[in-house]
Amino acid sequence: MNTKTLGCTLLIAGTTIGAGMLALPLASSSLGGPATLLLMVGLWALMAFTAMLQVEASLNTGKWYLHQLADHLLGPWGKRIASFCILMLFYSLASAYISGGSSLLAQALADAGMTLSQEQAAWAFTLLFGGMVCVGTKQVDYLNRLMFTVKLVIMVAVLALLLPRAEGQHLLSMPLGQGLLLAGLPVIFTSFGFHGSIPSVMLYLGDCPKQLRRVFVWGSALPLILYVLWQVAILGLLGQQTLIQTGGALDSLLASVGNLVSWPAFNQAMHLFADLALATSFLGVTLGLFDFMAKVTHRKDNWQGRSQTGLVTFVPPLLFALYFPQGFIMALGYAAIALAVLAVLLPVTLVWQSRKQAEAHHYRAPGGVLALGLAGAMGVLIVGVQVSVSLGLLPAL
Protein backbone atom coordinates (compact mmCIF):
# COMPACT_ATOMS: atom_id res chain seq x y z
CA MET A 1 0.00 0.00 0.00
CA ASN A 2 1.62 3.28 -1.12
CA THR A 3 1.55 6.45 0.96
CA LYS A 4 -1.29 8.08 -1.00
CA THR A 5 -3.45 4.99 -0.62
CA LEU A 6 -2.65 4.83 3.09
CA GLY A 7 -3.41 8.54 3.46
CA CYS A 8 -6.79 8.17 1.72
CA THR A 9 -7.63 5.10 3.82
CA LEU A 10 -6.97 7.13 6.97
CA LEU A 11 -8.97 10.05 5.52
CA ILE A 12 -12.01 7.79 5.07
CA ALA A 13 -11.51 6.33 8.55
CA GLY A 14 -11.00 9.79 10.06
CA THR A 15 -14.13 11.13 8.37
CA THR A 16 -16.14 8.19 9.65
CA ILE A 17 -14.90 8.22 13.24
CA GLY A 18 -16.41 11.37 14.71
CA ALA A 19 -16.63 12.50 18.31
CA GLY A 20 -20.03 10.79 18.39
CA MET A 21 -18.21 7.44 18.55
CA LEU A 22 -17.65 8.00 22.28
CA ALA A 23 -21.39 8.30 22.86
CA LEU A 24 -22.31 5.34 20.64
CA PRO A 25 -22.66 2.95 23.64
CA LEU A 26 -25.05 5.49 25.18
CA ALA A 27 -27.11 5.81 22.02
CA SER A 28 -27.36 2.04 21.63
CA SER A 29 -27.64 1.09 25.32
CA SER A 30 -31.32 0.11 24.98
CA LEU A 31 -30.42 -2.32 22.19
CA GLY A 32 -28.06 -4.49 24.20
CA GLY A 33 -24.86 -6.16 23.02
CA PRO A 34 -25.75 -8.75 20.34
CA ALA A 35 -28.25 -6.51 18.51
CA THR A 36 -25.82 -3.57 18.43
CA LEU A 37 -22.95 -5.67 17.09
CA LEU A 38 -25.24 -7.23 14.45
CA LEU A 39 -26.37 -3.80 13.26
CA MET A 40 -22.79 -2.48 13.18
CA VAL A 41 -21.48 -5.31 11.01
CA GLY A 42 -24.51 -5.30 8.71
CA LEU A 43 -24.51 -1.54 8.16
CA TRP A 44 -20.75 -1.46 7.60
CA ALA A 45 -21.16 -4.11 4.87
CA LEU A 46 -23.98 -2.06 3.33
CA MET A 47 -21.94 1.15 3.26
CA ALA A 48 -18.78 -0.51 1.93
CA PHE A 49 -20.85 -2.14 -0.82
CA THR A 50 -22.60 1.07 -1.87
CA ALA A 51 -19.25 2.90 -1.90
CA MET A 52 -18.08 0.44 -4.54
CA LEU A 53 -21.37 0.93 -6.42
CA GLN A 54 -20.58 4.65 -6.58
CA VAL A 55 -17.07 3.80 -7.81
CA GLU A 56 -18.57 1.56 -10.51
CA ALA A 57 -20.95 4.26 -11.71
CA SER A 58 -18.16 6.85 -11.75
CA LEU A 59 -15.61 4.71 -13.59
CA ASN A 60 -18.15 3.56 -16.18
CA THR A 61 -19.45 7.06 -16.96
CA GLY A 62 -16.41 9.25 -16.30
CA LYS A 63 -18.45 11.37 -13.85
CA TRP A 64 -16.98 11.68 -10.36
CA TYR A 65 -19.70 13.65 -8.56
CA LEU A 66 -23.12 12.34 -7.56
CA HIS A 67 -25.01 15.26 -9.06
CA GLN A 68 -23.20 14.70 -12.38
CA LEU A 69 -23.92 10.97 -12.25
CA ALA A 70 -27.58 11.63 -11.42
CA ASP A 71 -27.87 14.12 -14.29
CA HIS A 72 -26.19 11.74 -16.73
CA LEU A 73 -28.13 8.61 -15.77
CA LEU A 74 -31.38 9.88 -14.22
CA GLY A 75 -31.95 13.29 -15.78
CA PRO A 76 -32.56 16.78 -14.30
CA TRP A 77 -34.76 15.62 -11.41
CA GLY A 78 -32.13 13.14 -10.30
CA LYS A 79 -29.56 15.92 -10.35
CA ARG A 80 -31.80 18.21 -8.27
CA ILE A 81 -32.46 15.54 -5.64
CA ALA A 82 -28.77 14.65 -5.40
CA SER A 83 -27.68 18.30 -5.13
CA PHE A 84 -30.30 19.09 -2.48
CA CYS A 85 -29.32 16.09 -0.33
CA ILE A 86 -25.60 16.86 -0.69
CA LEU A 87 -26.06 20.45 0.44
CA MET A 88 -28.43 19.53 3.26
CA LEU A 89 -26.10 16.86 4.63
CA PHE A 90 -22.79 18.67 4.16
CA TYR A 91 -23.89 22.06 5.42
CA SER A 92 -25.67 20.49 8.41
CA LEU A 93 -22.61 18.47 9.38
CA ALA A 94 -20.19 21.35 8.76
CA SER A 95 -22.30 23.65 10.92
CA ALA A 96 -22.52 21.07 13.71
CA TYR A 97 -18.75 20.48 13.59
CA ILE A 98 -18.02 24.22 13.71
CA SER A 99 -20.36 24.60 16.68
CA GLY A 100 -18.86 21.65 18.54
CA GLY A 101 -15.28 22.43 17.53
CA SER A 102 -15.51 26.05 18.62
CA SER A 103 -16.76 24.99 22.07
CA LEU A 104 -13.86 22.55 22.46
CA LEU A 105 -11.35 25.14 21.21
CA ALA A 106 -12.67 27.81 23.59
CA GLN A 107 -12.44 25.36 26.50
CA ALA A 108 -8.89 24.29 25.59
CA LEU A 109 -7.73 27.92 25.35
CA ALA A 110 -9.44 28.75 28.64
CA ASP A 111 -7.52 25.93 30.31
CA ALA A 112 -4.33 27.48 28.88
CA GLY A 113 -5.22 30.90 30.30
CA MET A 114 -6.58 32.48 27.10
CA THR A 115 -10.16 33.68 26.80
CA LEU A 116 -12.16 33.58 23.58
CA SER A 117 -15.88 34.06 23.15
CA GLN A 118 -17.88 31.34 21.42
CA GLU A 119 -18.13 33.50 18.29
CA GLN A 120 -14.38 34.19 18.21
CA ALA A 121 -13.64 30.51 18.72
CA ALA A 122 -15.98 29.62 15.82
CA TRP A 123 -14.11 32.00 13.53
CA ALA A 124 -10.72 30.68 14.71
CA PHE A 125 -11.75 27.03 14.25
CA THR A 126 -13.12 27.69 10.76
CA LEU A 127 -10.11 29.71 9.64
CA LEU A 128 -7.64 27.13 10.99
CA PHE A 129 -9.13 23.92 9.59
CA GLY A 130 -11.05 25.49 6.72
CA GLY A 131 -7.82 27.14 5.61
CA MET A 132 -6.17 23.72 5.39
CA VAL A 133 -8.99 22.48 3.14
CA CYS A 134 -8.61 25.54 0.90
CA VAL A 135 -4.88 24.92 0.52
CA GLY A 136 -5.36 21.45 -0.97
CA THR A 137 -6.13 17.75 -0.56
CA LYS A 138 -2.46 16.84 -0.04
CA GLN A 139 -2.20 19.14 2.99
CA VAL A 140 -5.45 17.75 4.42
CA ASP A 141 -4.07 14.26 3.87
CA TYR A 142 -0.86 14.97 5.83
CA LEU A 143 -2.65 16.77 8.69
CA ASN A 144 -5.25 14.02 8.90
CA ARG A 145 -2.55 11.33 9.08
CA LEU A 146 -0.97 13.06 12.07
CA MET A 147 -4.24 13.57 13.95
CA PHE A 148 -5.55 10.09 13.12
CA THR A 149 -2.32 8.51 14.38
CA VAL A 150 -2.54 10.35 17.70
CA LYS A 151 -6.25 9.47 17.93
CA LEU A 152 -5.50 5.80 17.27
CA VAL A 153 -2.73 5.69 19.89
CA ILE A 154 -5.09 7.13 22.50
CA MET A 155 -7.86 4.66 21.66
CA VAL A 156 -5.50 1.66 21.69
CA ALA A 157 -4.21 2.69 25.13
CA VAL A 158 -7.75 3.17 26.48
CA LEU A 159 -8.98 -0.13 25.04
CA ALA A 160 -5.97 -1.99 26.45
CA LEU A 161 -6.96 -0.59 29.84
CA LEU A 162 -10.71 -1.28 29.61
CA LEU A 163 -11.12 -4.53 27.68
CA PRO A 164 -9.61 -6.83 30.35
CA ARG A 165 -12.23 -5.44 32.78
CA ALA A 166 -15.22 -6.25 30.55
CA GLU A 167 -17.68 -8.77 32.00
CA GLY A 168 -19.20 -11.29 29.63
CA GLN A 169 -22.71 -11.24 31.13
CA HIS A 170 -23.06 -7.51 30.35
CA LEU A 171 -22.38 -8.17 26.66
CA LEU A 172 -25.35 -10.56 26.36
CA SER A 173 -27.99 -7.96 27.27
CA MET A 174 -30.99 -7.85 24.94
CA PRO A 175 -33.19 -4.99 23.59
CA LEU A 176 -35.42 -3.47 26.27
CA GLY A 177 -38.47 -3.03 24.07
CA GLN A 178 -40.13 -3.78 20.76
CA GLY A 179 -39.21 -1.60 17.80
CA LEU A 180 -35.84 -0.60 19.25
CA LEU A 181 -33.91 -2.70 16.74
CA LEU A 182 -35.50 -0.69 13.92
CA ALA A 183 -35.01 2.58 15.81
CA GLY A 184 -31.30 1.78 16.06
CA LEU A 185 -30.86 1.62 12.29
CA PRO A 186 -30.49 5.39 11.62
CA VAL A 187 -28.33 5.98 14.71
CA ILE A 188 -25.72 3.38 13.80
CA PHE A 189 -26.09 3.96 10.05
CA THR A 190 -24.94 7.58 10.34
CA SER A 191 -21.81 6.36 12.17
CA PHE A 192 -20.58 4.88 8.87
CA GLY A 193 -21.12 7.95 6.70
CA PHE A 194 -18.11 8.74 4.50
CA HIS A 195 -19.56 8.74 0.98
CA GLY A 196 -19.31 12.50 0.58
CA SER A 197 -15.53 12.11 0.45
CA ILE A 198 -15.57 9.53 -2.37
CA PRO A 199 -15.22 12.05 -5.26
CA SER A 200 -12.31 13.82 -3.52
CA VAL A 201 -10.51 10.50 -2.98
CA MET A 202 -11.08 9.44 -6.60
CA LEU A 203 -9.75 12.75 -7.89
CA TYR A 204 -6.69 12.41 -5.65
CA LEU A 205 -5.94 8.72 -6.30
CA GLY A 206 -7.05 8.21 -9.89
CA ASP A 207 -9.22 5.50 -11.44
CA CYS A 208 -7.60 2.25 -10.27
CA PRO A 209 -10.48 0.01 -9.01
CA LYS A 210 -8.23 -2.22 -6.87
CA GLN A 211 -6.72 0.79 -5.12
CA LEU A 212 -10.12 2.42 -4.57
CA ARG A 213 -11.63 -0.80 -3.23
CA ARG A 214 -8.78 -1.10 -0.77
CA VAL A 215 -9.29 2.48 0.43
CA PHE A 216 -13.05 2.31 0.91
CA VAL A 217 -13.28 -1.20 2.34
CA TRP A 218 -10.36 -0.85 4.76
CA GLY A 219 -11.07 2.81 5.45
CA SER A 220 -14.56 1.88 6.65
CA ALA A 221 -13.44 -1.37 8.34
CA LEU A 222 -11.10 0.49 10.71
CA PRO A 223 -14.02 2.42 12.27
CA LEU A 224 -16.03 -0.81 12.50
CA ILE A 225 -13.23 -2.46 14.48
CA LEU A 226 -12.90 0.51 16.84
CA TYR A 227 -16.69 0.81 17.25
CA VAL A 228 -17.00 -2.87 18.17
CA LEU A 229 -14.08 -2.79 20.61
CA TRP A 230 -15.33 0.44 22.23
CA GLN A 231 -18.84 -1.01 22.51
CA VAL A 232 -17.49 -4.22 24.09
CA ALA A 233 -15.26 -2.26 26.48
CA ILE A 234 -17.93 0.18 27.71
CA LEU A 235 -20.92 -2.17 27.78
CA GLY A 236 -18.81 -4.94 29.30
CA LEU A 237 -17.48 -2.61 31.99
CA LEU A 238 -20.64 -0.71 32.98
CA GLY A 239 -23.55 -2.89 31.90
CA GLN A 240 -26.79 -1.88 30.21
CA GLN A 241 -28.59 -0.45 33.26
CA THR A 242 -25.68 1.77 34.29
CA LEU A 243 -25.41 3.14 30.75
CA ILE A 244 -29.11 3.99 30.73
CA GLN A 245 -28.80 5.70 34.13
CA THR A 246 -26.19 8.13 32.75
CA GLY A 247 -29.07 9.90 30.97
CA GLY A 248 -27.29 9.93 27.62
CA ALA A 249 -24.65 12.44 28.77
CA LEU A 250 -21.10 11.82 27.54
CA ASP A 251 -19.55 13.52 30.59
CA SER A 252 -21.54 11.19 32.86
CA LEU A 253 -20.32 8.20 30.86
CA LEU A 254 -16.68 9.25 31.08
CA ALA A 255 -17.06 9.99 34.80
CA SER A 256 -18.58 6.53 35.40
CA VAL A 257 -15.72 4.85 33.55
CA GLY A 258 -13.12 7.06 35.23
CA ASN A 259 -14.36 5.94 38.66
CA LEU A 260 -13.60 2.32 37.74
CA VAL A 261 -10.16 2.67 36.15
CA SER A 262 -6.81 3.52 37.68
CA TRP A 263 -5.60 5.95 35.02
CA PRO A 264 -5.84 9.54 36.34
CA ALA A 265 -5.49 10.99 32.83
CA PHE A 266 -8.45 8.99 31.44
CA ASN A 267 -10.85 11.94 31.12
CA GLN A 268 -8.20 14.16 29.53
CA ALA A 269 -7.26 11.42 27.06
CA MET A 270 -10.89 10.87 26.02
CA HIS A 271 -11.54 14.58 25.61
CA LEU A 272 -8.41 14.84 23.43
CA PHE A 273 -9.71 11.91 21.39
CA ALA A 274 -13.05 13.72 20.98
CA ASP A 275 -11.24 16.90 19.86
CA LEU A 276 -9.20 15.04 17.25
CA ALA A 277 -12.18 12.97 16.09
CA LEU A 278 -14.23 16.10 15.52
CA ALA A 279 -11.37 17.81 13.66
CA THR A 280 -10.73 14.85 11.33
CA SER A 281 -14.46 14.49 10.61
CA PHE A 282 -14.67 18.20 9.84
CA LEU A 283 -11.72 17.95 7.43
CA GLY A 284 -13.22 14.96 5.59
CA VAL A 285 -16.73 16.40 5.31
CA THR A 286 -15.69 19.89 4.27
CA LEU A 287 -13.15 18.56 1.76
CA GLY A 288 -16.02 16.79 0.02
CA LEU A 289 -18.16 19.92 0.22
CA PHE A 290 -15.29 22.10 -1.04
CA ASP A 291 -14.71 19.92 -4.12
CA PHE A 292 -18.45 19.76 -4.78
CA MET A 293 -18.83 23.56 -4.60
CA ALA A 294 -15.75 24.07 -6.81
CA LYS A 295 -17.36 21.87 -9.45
CA VAL A 296 -20.82 23.44 -9.18
CA THR A 297 -19.56 27.03 -9.25
CA HIS A 298 -16.90 26.31 -11.93
CA ARG A 299 -14.08 27.87 -9.90
CA LYS A 300 -10.52 27.46 -11.15
CA ASP A 301 -7.91 25.48 -9.22
CA ASN A 302 -5.72 28.49 -8.40
CA TRP A 303 -5.40 30.62 -5.27
CA GLN A 304 -8.13 33.02 -6.38
CA GLY A 305 -10.56 30.27 -7.39
CA ARG A 306 -9.90 28.23 -4.24
CA SER A 307 -10.43 31.31 -2.07
CA GLN A 308 -13.80 31.92 -3.72
CA THR A 309 -14.76 28.26 -3.27
CA GLY A 310 -13.68 28.48 0.36
CA LEU A 311 -16.07 31.36 0.95
CA VAL A 312 -19.13 29.52 -0.39
CA THR A 313 -18.03 26.37 1.45
CA PHE A 314 -17.40 27.76 4.93
CA VAL A 315 -19.31 31.03 5.31
CA PRO A 316 -22.86 29.55 5.23
CA PRO A 317 -22.24 26.86 7.90
CA LEU A 318 -20.26 29.35 9.99
CA LEU A 319 -23.14 31.85 9.93
CA PHE A 320 -25.70 29.16 10.72
CA ALA A 321 -23.55 27.87 13.57
CA LEU A 322 -23.30 31.40 14.96
CA TYR A 323 -26.88 32.57 14.56
CA PHE A 324 -29.14 29.53 14.09
CA PRO A 325 -27.65 26.66 16.11
CA GLN A 326 -31.04 25.18 16.98
CA GLY A 327 -32.07 25.07 13.33
CA PHE A 328 -29.12 22.91 12.44
CA ILE A 329 -29.58 20.71 15.48
CA MET A 330 -33.04 19.97 14.08
CA ALA A 331 -31.60 19.45 10.60
CA LEU A 332 -29.12 16.93 11.98
CA GLY A 333 -32.10 14.86 13.08
CA TYR A 334 -32.86 14.35 9.39
CA ALA A 335 -29.25 13.80 8.34
CA ALA A 336 -29.86 10.05 8.23
CA ILE A 337 -32.49 10.60 5.50
CA ALA A 338 -30.13 12.64 3.32
CA LEU A 339 -27.31 10.16 3.96
CA ALA A 340 -29.54 7.18 3.10
CA VAL A 341 -30.45 8.82 -0.20
CA LEU A 342 -26.86 9.78 -1.05
CA ALA A 343 -25.04 6.72 0.23
CA VAL A 344 -27.53 3.95 -0.55
CA LEU A 345 -30.52 4.77 -2.75
CA LEU A 346 -28.69 6.91 -5.30
CA PRO A 347 -25.72 4.53 -5.84
CA VAL A 348 -28.10 1.57 -6.21
CA THR A 349 -30.30 3.46 -8.68
CA LEU A 350 -27.33 4.81 -10.63
CA VAL A 351 -25.70 1.39 -11.03
CA TRP A 352 -29.02 -0.20 -11.97
CA GLN A 353 -29.53 2.43 -14.65
CA SER A 354 -25.91 2.21 -15.80
CA ARG A 355 -26.11 -1.56 -16.24
CA LYS A 356 -29.52 -1.25 -17.88
CA GLN A 357 -28.15 1.25 -20.41
CA ALA A 358 -25.18 -1.03 -21.09
CA GLU A 359 -22.61 1.63 -20.24
CA ALA A 360 -19.01 0.54 -20.84
CA HIS A 361 -18.10 -1.65 -17.87
CA HIS A 362 -14.59 -0.70 -16.79
CA TYR A 363 -15.44 -2.00 -13.34
CA ARG A 364 -18.35 -3.93 -11.82
CA ALA A 365 -18.98 -4.06 -8.08
CA PRO A 366 -19.45 -7.53 -6.57
CA GLY A 367 -22.99 -8.86 -6.32
CA GLY A 368 -25.71 -9.00 -8.91
CA VAL A 369 -29.36 -7.98 -9.00
CA LEU A 370 -30.07 -9.56 -5.61
CA ALA A 371 -27.36 -7.48 -3.90
CA LEU A 372 -28.71 -4.30 -5.51
CA GLY A 373 -32.23 -5.17 -4.40
CA LEU A 374 -31.19 -5.86 -0.80
CA ALA A 375 -29.18 -2.64 -0.60
CA GLY A 376 -32.07 -0.62 -2.03
CA ALA A 377 -34.53 -2.20 0.41
CA MET A 378 -32.24 -1.30 3.32
CA GLY A 379 -32.06 2.29 2.13
CA VAL A 380 -35.85 2.55 1.94
CA LEU A 381 -36.14 0.94 5.39
CA ILE A 382 -33.68 3.41 6.96
CA VAL A 383 -35.53 6.40 5.49
CA GLY A 384 -38.86 4.99 6.63
CA VAL A 385 -37.61 4.32 10.15
CA GLN A 386 -36.10 7.81 10.50
CA VAL A 387 -39.34 9.44 9.36
CA SER A 388 -41.34 7.21 11.74
CA VAL A 389 -39.06 8.06 14.67
CA SER A 390 -39.31 11.78 13.84
CA LEU A 391 -43.14 11.52 13.79
CA GLY A 392 -43.21 9.56 17.04
CA LEU A 393 -44.48 6.38 15.40
CA LEU A 394 -41.42 4.43 16.58
CA PRO A 395 -39.54 4.87 19.88
CA ALA A 396 -36.30 6.84 19.67
CA LEU A 397 -33.15 5.43 21.24
Side-chain angles (χ1 to χ4, degrees):
M1 184 181 289
N2 61 41
T3 56
K4 287 181 70 173
T5 303
L6 175 62
C8 288
T9 302
L10 297 183
L11 179 64
I12 293 299
T15 302
T16 307
I17 302 173
M21 169 194 160
L22 298 181
L24 201 54
L26 292 171
S28 60
S29 58
S30 299
L31 288 173
T36 299
L37 297 182
L38 178 65
L39 283 179
M40 283 183 179
V41 174
L43 291 172
W44 163 75
L46 173 68
M47 295 295 264
F49 173 65
T50 57
M52 297 317 301
L53 291 181
Q54 188 171 332
V55 169
E56 176 184 334
S58 292
L59 294 181
N60 292 338
T61 60
K63 312 290 184 182
W64 289 165
Y65 295 91
L66 269 178
H67 72 290
Q68 291 179 317
L69 284 165
D71 188 30
H72 179 74
L73 294 170
L74 305 177
W77 274 105
K79 179 181 180 180
R80 293 188 187 102
I81 292 172
S83 299
F84 174 78
C85 289
I86 290 170
L87 292 175
M88 176 183 174
L89 180 64
F90 279 179
Y91 276 136
S92 296
L93 291 175
S95 176
Y97 289 146
I98 290 173
S99 179
S102 60
S103 298
L104 295 174
L105 179 61
Q107 182 61 50
L109 292 176
D111 293 342
M114 299 175 61
T115 303
L116 278 184
S117 68
Q118 183 73 17
E119 291 77 11
Q120 292 171 328
W123 279 100
F125 179 86
T126 305
L127 288 173
L128 175 62
F129 292 104
M132 293 298 299
V133 172
C134 292
V135 170
T137 304
K138 181 183 291 187
Q139 286 69 26
V140 172
D141 177 13
Y142 292 151
L143 178 60
N144 181 77
R145 291 186 206 185
L146 174 62
M147 292 193 297
F148 187 87
T149 301
V150 176
K151 186 167 65 172
L152 192 60
V153 169
I154 293 172
M155 186 49 61
V156 168
V158 169
L159 290 173
L161 185 69
L162 298 184
L163 284 173
R165 300 167 181 260
E167 298 182 20
Q169 67 269 24
H170 291 330
L171 302 176
L172 300 177
S173 55
M174 301 304 291
L176 295 179
Q178 294 182 345
L180 287 177
L181 190 62
L182 285 178
L185 277 173
V187 174
I188 298 176
F189 171 73
T190 53
S191 300
F192 290 99
F194 62 87
H195 289 58
S197 301
I198 291 177
S200 300
V201 169
M202 294 186 70
L203 286 170
Y204 186 49
L205 277 185
D207 57 359
C208 174
K210 184 181 295 185
Q211 207 172 18
L212 293 169
R213 182 171 60 248
R214 200 174 290 142
V215 165
F216 297 127
V217 172
W218 285 107
S220 58
L222 280 174
L224 171 67
I225 294 168
L226 284 181
Y227 290 166
V228 169
L229 292 176
W230 178 245
Q231 182 75 17
V232 169
I234 298 302
L235 181 60
L237 179 67
L238 298 180
Q240 189 177 41
Q241 292 303 321
T242 302
L243 282 173
I244 293 173
Q245 289 169 8
T246 60
L250 180 59
D251 286 342
S252 297
L253 169 66
L254 296 182
S256 298
V257 176
N259 291 333
L260 298 176
V261 299
S262 55
W263 186 19
F266 173 79
N267 277 350
Q268 291 85 345
M270 295 318 298
H271 282 295
L272 177 58
F273 178 90
D275 296 348
L276 294 172
L278 189 144
T280 53
S281 293
F282 177 78
L283 287 174
V285 166
T286 54
L287 179 63
L289 177 60
F290 182 93
D291 288 340
F292 173 76
M293 296 306 297
K295 191 68 178 180
V296 169
T297 57
H298 306 290
R299 298 298 94 185
K300 294 181 179 179
D301 189 18
N302 53 31
W303 72 267
Q304 186 176 13
R306 296 187 73 85
S307 298
Q308 294 167 347
T309 304
L311 289 175
V312 296
T313 299
F314 294 106
V315 170
L318 174 60
L319 293 177
F320 274 112
L322 291 173
Y323 299 111
F324 303 103
Q326 297 304 315
F328 263 92
I329 290 172
M330 290 175 59
L332 283 175
Y334 296 93
I337 298 176
L339 183 61
V341 173
L342 291 173
V344 182
L345 295 179
L346 263 178
V348 167
T349 306
L350 292 170
V351 167
W352 177 274
Q353 191 69 10
S354 173
R355 293 177 183 178
K356 181 180 174 182
Q357 294 180 3
E359 294 274 358
H361 292 299
H362 301 289
Y363 169 74
R364 182 183 283 264
V369 174
L370 179 60
L372 287 178
L374 288 175
M378 282 299 299
V380 171
L381 179 61
I382 291 168
V383 171
V385 168
Q386 180 60 50
V387 172
S388 299
V389 170
S390 301
L391 296 176
L393 302 177
L394 277 176
L397 290 185

